Amino acid sequence: MLEVEGISTFYGEYQAIHDVSLEVADGKLVSIFGPNGHGKSTLLKTICGLMKPASGVIRFDGKEIQGLPSHKLVEMGIVLISEERHLFPEMSVMENLRLGAYAKNARKKEAENLDLVFGMFPKLKVLAKKPALTLSGGEARMLAIGRGLMSNGRFLAIDEPSFGLAPILRAEVFDQIVALKNKGMSILLVEQTTGDIAEQSDYIYLLEDGRIAFSGSKDEALHDSVVRKVFLGIT
């Protein structure tokens, strides 16, 4: 599905990503953990076409995609759900969702994907006519994920979905992400320090100072005492 080989990304003269390689297999949930400000969001933006790598190769379904504009990647099925959410606050929940189906292939499946979103997040159907600015943090995060699903993507890059959420809402959002994986969606998830989603991940990477500090299966990560305590917040 996704292959990243030797990616380096700069902000001006500052190097944020150093020779990073990773893979996300079809239908798998891969998580990237690490401290805030160590390059996780930059890596997702590079993969999803919002930043250009200075070096390295990114392949999606075997095709090189580095340097392609983000809208082309959306048409290919790659969707970024950013930490900032980027909702249109004055527009309704329904209007925000429909904006997610702007790509040609997504418009053809708008009704089908809307049913999927409302099936996963039934509260959004109840709130369909409400302005996005009236939503709680958890509801807004669900709307951001739902809008990503409206893009008819096959690969979701999700940046810190639990940011700012109460534990009960965080667990609910994580449950829905796992449900998406179980439906066959390929997911690359970025978080800071949490054990909740680590236990549901198929593979784990730890990013520190823009470099891969650890990569391994869920079991390898969860049985490494340093990884558990320092990166995953599990004692």
Side-chain angles (χ1 to χ4, degrees), residues 17 31 44 48 62 83 87 90 102 116 125 140 149 156-157 169 186 209 213 217:
I17 300 297
S31 295
L44 286 195
C48 296
E83 175 190 338
L87 301 177
E90 303 293 338
Y102 69 88
L116 170 65
K125 188 172 185 177
L149 295 175
L156 295 184
L169 293 176
S186 303
D209 293 326
S217 68

Side-chain angles (χ1 to χ4, degrees), residues 133-174:
L133 61 82
T134 66
L135 302 184
S136 68
E139 292 163 352
R141 176 55 68 190
M142 291 175 190
L143 177 55
I145 295 173
R147 189 175 60 184
L149 295 175
M150 292 296 293
S151 299
N152 202 43
R154 298 185 294 118
F155 177 90
L156 295 184
I158 309 178
D159 192 1
E160 300 209 30
S162 72
F163 180 76
L165 298 185
I168 189 170
L169 293 176
R170 180 178 64 193
E172 186 176 351
V173 168
F174 283 160

Side-chain angles (χ1 to χ4, degrees), residues 174-218:
F174 283 160
D175 285 346
Q176 294 301 338
I177 290 172
V178 173
L180 284 171
K181 193 265 284 194
N182 291 338
K183 289 178 181 291
M185 188 76 70
S186 303
I187 300 172
L188 181 60
L189 175 75
V190 155
E191 275 290 347
Q192 289 190 38
T193 53
T194 176
D196 299 341
I197 198 65
E199 296 181 4
Q200 302 293 332
S201 300
D202 295 298
Y203 204 82
I204 289 174
Y205 293 90
L206 304 180
L207 196 67
E208 188 175 25
D209 293 326
R211 298 175 173 87
I212 298 295
F214 170 89
S215 64
S217 68
K218 169 188 64 177

Side-chain angles (χ1 to χ4, degrees), residues 24-35:
V24 181
D26 192 21
K28 299 298 182 181
L29 169 58
V30 174
S31 295
I32 303 174
F33 297 101

Side-chain angles (χ1 to χ4, degrees), residues 98-109:
R98 284 181 168 157
L99 281 174
Y102 69 88
K104 185 177 181 180
N105 63 337
R107 289 196 298 270
K108 295 177 180 179
K109 293 191 173 183

